[in-house]
Amino acid sequence: MTDFQCTLLTGAAGALGTQLRQSGTKLGKTVRLSDRRPCENLEAHEEDFPLDLSDFEAVSKAVKGCDAIVHMGGQPLEGPWETILNSNIVGGYNIYEAARQHGVKRIVYASSVHAIGYYERTETIDGTVPTRPDSLYGVSKTFVENLARYYFDKFGIETVCIRIGSSFPEPTDRRHLITWLSYADCRQLVEKCLSAPRVGFMIAYGMSNNSEAFWDNRTAAVLGYKPQDSADDYREKVFASTTQGDPNDPAVRFQGGSFCAAGHFEDEKK
Amino acid sequence: MTDFQCTLLTGAAGALGTQLRQSGTKLGKTVRLSDRRPCENLEAHEEDFPLDLSDFEAVSKAVKGCDAIVHMGGQPLEGPWETILNSNIVGGYNIYEAARQHGVKRIVYASSVHAIGYYERTETIDGTVPTRPDSLYGVSKTFVENLARYYFDKFGIETVCIRIGSSFPEPTDRRHLITWLSYADCRQLVEKCLSAPRVGFMIAYGMSNNSEAFWDNRTAAVLGYKPQDSADDYREKVFASTTQGDPNDPAVRFQGGSFCAAGHFEDEKK
Amino acid sequence: MTDFQCTLLTGAAGALGTQLRQSGTKLGKTVRLSDRRPCENLEAHEEDFPLDLSDFEAVSKAVKGCDAIVHMGGQPLEGPWETILNSNIVGGYNIYEAARQHGVKRIVYASSVHAIGYYERTETIDGTVPTRPDSLYGVSKTFVENLARYYFDKFGIETVCIRIGSSFPEPTDRRHLITWLSYADCRQLVEKCLSAPRVGFMIAYGMSNNSEAFWDNRTAAVLGYKPQDSADDYREKVFASTTQGDPNDPAVRFQGGSFCAAGHFEDEKK
Amino acid sequence: MTDFQCTLLTGAAGALGTQLRQSGTKLGKTVRLSDRRPCENLEAHEEDFPLDLSDFEAVSKAVKGCDAIVHMGGQPLEGPWETILNSNIVGGYNIYEAARQHGVKRIVYASSVHAIGYYERTETIDGTVPTRPDSLYGVSKTFVENLARYYFDKFGIETVCIRIGSSFPEPTDRRHLITWLSYADCRQLVEKCLSAPRVGFMIAYGMSNNSEAFWDNRTAAVLGYKPQDSADDYREKVFASTTQGDPNDPAVRFQGGSFCAAGHFEDEKK
Amino acid sequence: MTDFQCTLLTGAAGALGTQLRQSGTKLGKTVRLSDRRPCENLEAHEEDFPLDLSDFEAVSKAVKGCDAIVHMGGQPLEGPWETILNSNIVGGYNIYEAARQHGVKRIVYASSVHAIGYYERTETIDGTVPTRPDSLYGVSKTFVENLARYYFDKFGIETVCIRIGSSFPEPTDRRHLITWLSYADCRQLVEKCLSAPRVGFMIAYGMSNNSEAFWDNRTAAVLGYKPQDSADDYREKVFASTTQGDPNDPAVRFQGGSFCAAGHFEDEKK
Amino acid sequence: MTDFQCTLLTGAAGALGTQLRQSGTKLGKTVRLSDRRPCENLEAHEEDFPLDLSDFEAVSKAVKGCDAIVHMGGQPLEGPWETILNSNIVGGYNIYEAARQHGVKRIVYASSVHAIGYYERTETIDGTVPTRPDSLYGVSKTFVENLARYYFDKFGIETVCIRIGSSFPEPTDRRHLITWLSYADCRQLVEKCLSAPRVGFMIAYGMSNNSEAFWDNRTAAVLGYKPQDSADDYREKVFASTTQGDPNDPAVRFQGGSFCAAGHFEDEKK
């Protein structure tokens, strides 16, 4: 349903990237795949552009000729500062600056719950609250969100930042009953970000149709995202296999879960 | 389900008026029809009062004896200032002032998306935001909304202003996937406005159960409106028959659609 | 699904208390019942502790050994000041202070629509608006809500205050079409309050899945409450057996219904 | 301090118009005066264009050649509908449409407290709250505010709507202790509206530096308005010459004062 | 400047009560003094009604004939539950119920910072935020605020609740640089509460003109309160005689200061 | 007035750094100066630690032994990405991570208007609105604000981010009439950030007492900042030496001024 001619999908060999390839031409008439390693089993509409996000020239080459980007690549969880810096911060800049130079019109960015992880589980937030990252990883997500805002305000490149909760095959802990985003719903949400007539700069939360919720997604309702799956179906199974936990444990108390309970990555390593 | 004895339906020969006649005695035990031309095929509970809304005496005569009014009449889209002035502004005043003189208790007013057409498609608004009309037509809708507010605050006449999106047989462009109000849902909404125990002064948005939305209708939830139709059912058909459009085109960018892209009516004529 | 070892249920012989006993061990592995009169037909997991809420020693004895309390007890509607004072205010203090002394972790409190009864029917409110009680009964509900807030902020005892609308077998007047909470939904809501990993201090509204609504329950969405019943199913029946009423009657105009139309209890008695 | 070449001042022979003439070339290098009757004692920079606001041709002729308008003209208080309609509604349209046709860049509009008169005295409001007019006069003020919003959103003509409280030589009743706008402060405010680098569409409240206030003017702070007078200086005098009044009298209870206590103009006449 | 005929001042022998007596007939043409002990040095306009607030008959006798009450009496800081209950809760009810029975029109109530003591020092709050009491004393203040709201909504008795910060001869710790209310400003504020034409139900914060502030008093601006003193004048002295403290100490972190650092009164005694 | 033992001042040889050195021991009993070049004319309480902010080891050495940091260093305006990246992003991380490792308690950070530069001049914003950077420089400011939020939420290091407007000897263009922060007021503001008992994580706007304003600094009122200078004193001089400009020029329209009118730095160079 998209009218984009050529869409670059970064992180295409990762868990979510692999899922998104199933969207086929709903991402773009041509889909360029990029990851550090080559992608396998290319379909007719797919092209492979393996690259390191921190290499501007390589990114620029992959972006040239595209009118849309789905940016799922980069370090997907907390890591050493150098990794966060190169993969997510420098990598994020490279994507946006290449997009500007080559006339890309729209970007879908995989932001994260960890951009707002320090809100309490009992707080309901929408996409306009101040960010409260719970990790260097989370800080890097807010960096790209701000970069996206800037590239829209000054250069008109549209972005939807999807703050993805927990996109796994199924929910496995009690917090997932809130944050779970099924693979199918993840695909649908990205497709809707690409088919919407106008997105401007928007922040959407990536969760399935779960009864438990601490996110108010109304500010993104114009996307028409209509989740088909629900963590509710796993509720009894999850309760049976887990215990209640201490409500004062940061992993229980805050939206970011275990990221809030961890110390600084360098300390944790020791 | 209404307890009103006699309800005046203006614009009864128009597209929506004709639909609303199907609500039968849910509008009132007696329903007076009024339009510039006579109405046809009157049911037993219907009476015909053809009139020109700008003629106070005629309006007063039609209102006398009614305890409710469904005001769908007037110029239904942009037009010359003289038409807007006489049909919508003077006409609106005549309706409210006649209602006051004859003790009408409740009015349902067909306001429009064009009262707030200059909000961006990517903004989510409720019924309390400042109005941003997109046309002289839209300005006339805000005029009657303010008149209604005044007649409630001072004289206690209740009004629900329904800001109708796009009430057509089916959605035909991508913006309609948001704004579409099916005829059946339109009827239900008007009926609920009449059966609710108290409405005070209220602004409600008239849309069906569409996944895409830029309106937050919670402030009108007390009406109990529960739309049964959805533009989602037409999504693939609409996408197949239309193209994406330029997100910077005012007709795409703003909630009012093509009204925002048009210039002043007098200029457009030339 | 709860992990609580022992839960005290007050008001266990009342209408809602009796319903909640059907939740069985979802309230706690052991459930202590308390009311002024003894409870009957005890299940294996139930213990009976009849008591007067205004007697601190009795309350303390019943609380000792519990890690959770479902506080449904006290005067359930407007009454003489002495009754409100002793049953609800002193009784509420006794529950919270005993909870503190004995290490109770979580309390579910039966607050009421009458804590916010003076909001207009046409206003949509959430759990953060200033309270507007409609009776001494309502004032006593706000007292316990404040007490709960204090015991959480200073002593870490979690509470969900459920502002219950109208929990009856079925809706019987037009206001109930908004406020009705079915017994099954009431049970589910209380169970969810106990199984949620963290509730902190929270205010939730107790209503079923009714289309008509003046409450916005999003701030309590983290409970995962998913009502299964709806007053909509009774809509035609209720409309058929009632009349519209005067929208300016306080019983129609305000959320608290007939409590808003009543005078002071002492006067009413005369 | 303004850079405007030619400014039209309507209502130039009225009380406020006469005051504003004292601003001299701070309104514009040339100032065109218009009122129904000719203006007297013209200064070198002044030109006289007597006209009837409801006459589009006359208005158009006066506007041609101007780059700014200070629109103080029209019916200045409640009156018969015909007068409100012709002077304020048709007159307002004529001003804006002539401005569009002749390339006027900025308009300062004398709106009024009566556009929001039905807010309670004890409510603090800013320029973004929904309007609540207290009279047909007040409704006409909201009409022009909406017209101004439209002409800015579509045609880029900037407007500051000044909701003037009570601009008299001195406060004479207790409500004036809040609403008073001294003549000097009125002049300063209009001058600031003309010298500000950008005003877009803005609503400002016109009051002096009074300690009592029900308006929050922060949304207009960019004008740099810094009132030099205060109703406080008249407080003792006003209290000595007036009595407290009934707090439930609409004239005391609402921001619009006596306009809220009056009935419909037609009735009042009788 | 007040038009009240007879005003009851409770707590008249306390620190603030003694200060308020200096307002003389600005409180009322006659001022009835009440405290547990007799008041001394009565002026011509003063009458003495010593009483125990928990004794309804005594309160009723003192209230009879008054049209206003300044309620400063009761337990002025944390204490045993029995004292809080009798002096503040029962005492508060007695005042309001006697006021209702005897037609009192307006009450000024000495609420306290401790009604909202658990907001962080770094949060800016106004009078509409949910209460967060920091003590049983604070809970009792929220009880009377709710009682006042109820007596206004149902019976029309107006109240201003003044949340008094720290009213002492001068600020002596760093928190006082925010919360200090000079005696003169306290008098002025109470006088303004009595002379304002309408107060409805209002919450105002009682602080002098201190540069440091965590309260936004705009919602009470209609009182025209204009503080003449400032804790700034004591800033250097206070800094010189105190140390910075631990920002994580509840006494530093929260608005309620040392009340937030204290445990339950019963424990503290031990 | 500060109780800090040793404070690191970065950017100490820059324009604002030089001004802040005049605060003397109000910054700390010892003040360590750091800049890329050595600082001159050291006072008795000053120590010089020249360093490159992108060198973690050097930063760590300078931070060791400090309990506070005033971080004014880094690239002070738009520049090449490499410079922004190394000086502001990596430099910011180095400061916070060194602070964590060495137990620093509080940081004052020189953020900027350019973190929110894309708000319209006619919008009034406070410290809680979403950031809208107007340059890569602005994006780097939002990065450090997010980093600071993270280091407070997880590690308890307090920060005040001061979004500085235009800190120059005097205002020289019309936008400065809003954004000007005199050197003396800048010193006072930084001193207040250090002497406040608790700051948590806070965003304050750095402007003098200018009548024109688009910032609402209430959320930072607890600092007790009381500006002594005003751009108003330069108003006539600035108006005389400048022209009005085009209100649609991004440099006039947006809060960030000329930063909003500039393109990408790399393009601008060409």
Side-chain angles (χ1 to χ4, degrees), chain B residues 1-4 106 152 156 158 192 194-202 218-226, chain C residues 120-122 124 174 178 211-214 216 218 230 232 235-236 239 242-248 252-253:
Chain B
M1 272 192 210
T2 184
D3 294 342
F4 288 108
R106 187 175 297 179
F152 175 66
E158 296 190 299
K192 290 278 171 69
L194 289 170
S195 64
R198 180 182 169 92
V199 300
F201 172 83
M202 188 185 299
R218 270 175 314 134
T219 52
V222 78
L223 295 171
Y225 170 56
K226 196 175 175 178
Chain C
E120 303 238 356
R121 170 192 270 265
T122 51
T124 302
R174 295 189 187 189
I178 297 179
S211 294
E212 285 188 56
F214 39 50
D216 175 355
R218 268 175 315 132
S230 171
D232 298 12
R235 186 175 171 86
E236 294 201 26
F239 264 78
T242 56
T243 53
Q244 184 150 4
D246 175 358
N248 294 317
V252 174
R253 179 172 171 189

Side-chain angles (χ1 to χ4, degrees), chain A residues 157-177:
Chain A
I157 300 173
E158 295 189 300
T159 293
V160 180
C161 299
I162 306 177
R163 289 183 182 158
I164 296 172
S166 309
S167 203
F168 298 120
E170 66 176 62
T172 56
D173 71 27
R174 296 189 186 189
R175 179 174 157 276
H176 289 171
L177 296 176

